[in-house]
Amino acid sequence: MTSTVFEEWIRKFDSSMRLKGRQVLLLLDNATSHNVPDGLKNTKVKFFKPKLTAHLQPMDAGIIRNFKLFYRKGLVRHFIEAAEADKPLDINLKEALSLTKQAWSLVKPETVSNCWLHTGILNSQTSFSSSTEQHSSTDELVEEMEAVYLPGSDVMTAEKWVSIDEDEPTGDLMTDEEILEVVQPSSDGIDDDDFDVPPPNVSTKDALKAVNALVNFIEQNSSKPEASKNLDMAHSLKEFVRTIGSTKKKQTNILQYLKK
């Protein structure tokens, strides 16, 4: 986060609140990037006192940690699958963004509610508990991490890995030299994007083959939780592939007709 990005965001946020006819109070920590511009009409900003963020800010009360847990769990699975397929143990931007989206979707509303209640900002008689969910996910992460290493090796605990970047700065202002280094092309004229290889085209036949294999896999594990739900999703996916294949055939026939 930089002051420029934050200023752009808060102006858009204020405009959104104005269009909705809402007057809101925005609580912020004292990060150096939180430079509030003048001219806000529908947003009033109040800053926390120093060292209160972890106690009063819901995101720091457990929401971010829960998200990180799911993200790193997905990252472990990604590397295991890459190793099993004899592929490089790396991750590109698209894959990282996909993992990020999936991880956030796994953070339950109950977890968010619980963290808000924990801060004491909201008064509610209803209490949600996400501790069981978090411990269960942590246990699964430990098992998957241990599967990567040989017995007796020095394995980082899942708890430590989830919070490994806890002390990394996220809101420092960039110096002019750092900004120039980011925006200027490299000296050899080669951009990292030049190394991105576009994914191969997948035919309808190959897609159906893959979906059918998925259906068979789910049916072989029908005793597992949510197998029935996932099987319905797989069949819906198969119908989606068939629809695309049918559309492509119609387009091909029309093009062939027009060429005559």
Side-chain angles (χ1 to χ4, degrees):
M1 175 64 71
T2 66
S3 57
T4 302
V5 172
F6 176 78
E7 182 174 334
E8 180 181 348
W9 174 83
I10 198 171
R11 287 190 185 280
K12 288 182 179 179
F13 176 78
D14 185 60
S15 297
S16 174
M17 294 300 100
R18 186 165 61 253
L19 290 173
K20 294 178 181 179
R22 297 177 58 189
Q23 291 287 339
V24 299
L25 173 64
L26 182 62
L27 303 176
L28 295 174
D29 60 25
N30 292 275
T32 55
S33 57
H34 290 166
N35 187 21
V36 180
D38 296 327
L40 299 180
K41 304 295 184 182
N42 289 58
T43 305
K44 184 176 181 179
V45 176
K46 287 289 186 180
F47 287 93
F48 291 132
K49 291 184 178 180
K51 299 182 180 180
L52 288 180
T53 300
H55 302 283
L56 295 179
Q57 191 157 289
M59 295 298 289
D60 288 271
I63 297 173
I64 292 176
R65 178 176 176 77
N66 198 244
F67 161 76
K68 284 184 178 180
L69 190 148
F70 287 121
Y71 178 83
R72 299 198 193 286
K73 179 179 175 181
L75 195 59
V76 168
R77 288 179 172 173
H78 171 84
F79 287 135
I80 290 176
E81 291 170 0
E84 290 176 343
D86 198 24
K87 294 182 178 179
L89 299 182
D90 55 22
I91 183 169
N92 59 40
L93 179 59
K94 180 181 178 182
E95 292 167 334
L97 290 174
S98 178
L99 283 179
T100 300
K101 180 181 178 182
Q102 183 180 13
W104 180 246
S105 70
L106 292 173
V107 177
K108 296 182 179 180
E110 291 84 354
T111 301
V112 178
S113 299
N114 191 56
C115 291
W116 273 89
L117 292 170
H118 174 74
T119 62
I121 296 175
L122 297 181
N123 293 320
S124 175
Q125 301 299 320
T126 306
S127 179
F128 301 97
S129 176
S130 62
S131 59
T132 302
E133 168 196 347
Q134 181 159 326
H135 286 308
S136 174
S137 298
T138 303
D139 291 341
E140 292 176 13
L141 178 56
V142 170
E143 292 177 1
E144 294 187 28
M145 285 180 64
E146 290 177 344
V148 183
Y149 298 91
L150 295 173
S153 60
D154 185 16
V155 182
M156 180 186 297
T157 65
E159 289 286 350
K160 184 175 181 180
W161 197 48
V162 169
S163 57
I164 194 171
D165 58 355
E166 200 170 69
D167 297 325
E168 288 293 322
T170 58
D172 287 351
L173 296 176
M174 298 177 69
T175 64
D176 292 342
E177 291 76 13
E178 290 172 333
I179 294 174
L180 287 173
E181 185 177 348
V182 171
V183 300
Q184 285 182 339
S186 57
S187 57
D188 55 10
I190 300 177
D191 195 334
D192 290 338
D193 292 337
D194 293 339
F195 293 97
D196 290 342
V197 179
N201 290 327
V202 180
S203 66
T204 303
K205 180 179 178 181
D206 288 339
L208 278 175
K209 184 177 179 181
V211 175
N212 284 328
L214 178 61
V215 169
N216 291 335
F217 176 79
I218 297 174
E219 289 177 342
Q220 291 169 7
N221 294 273
S222 57
S223 61
K224 301 294 183 181
E226 298 191 1
S228 178
K229 176 183 176 181
N230 288 320
L231 186 59
D232 290 340
M233 292 173 62
H235 282 300
S236 297
L237 185 59
K238 182 190 291 188
E239 188 61 31
F240 171 74
V241 174
R242 285 173 174 167
T243 301
I244 292 178
S246 177
T247 302
K248 286 183 176 180
K249 286 182 179 179
K250 289 179 181 179
Q251 291 176 341
T252 302
N253 291 337
I254 290 174
L255 290 173
Q256 289 177 344
Y257 174 80
L258 292 175
K259 288 180 180 179
K260 293 181 180 180

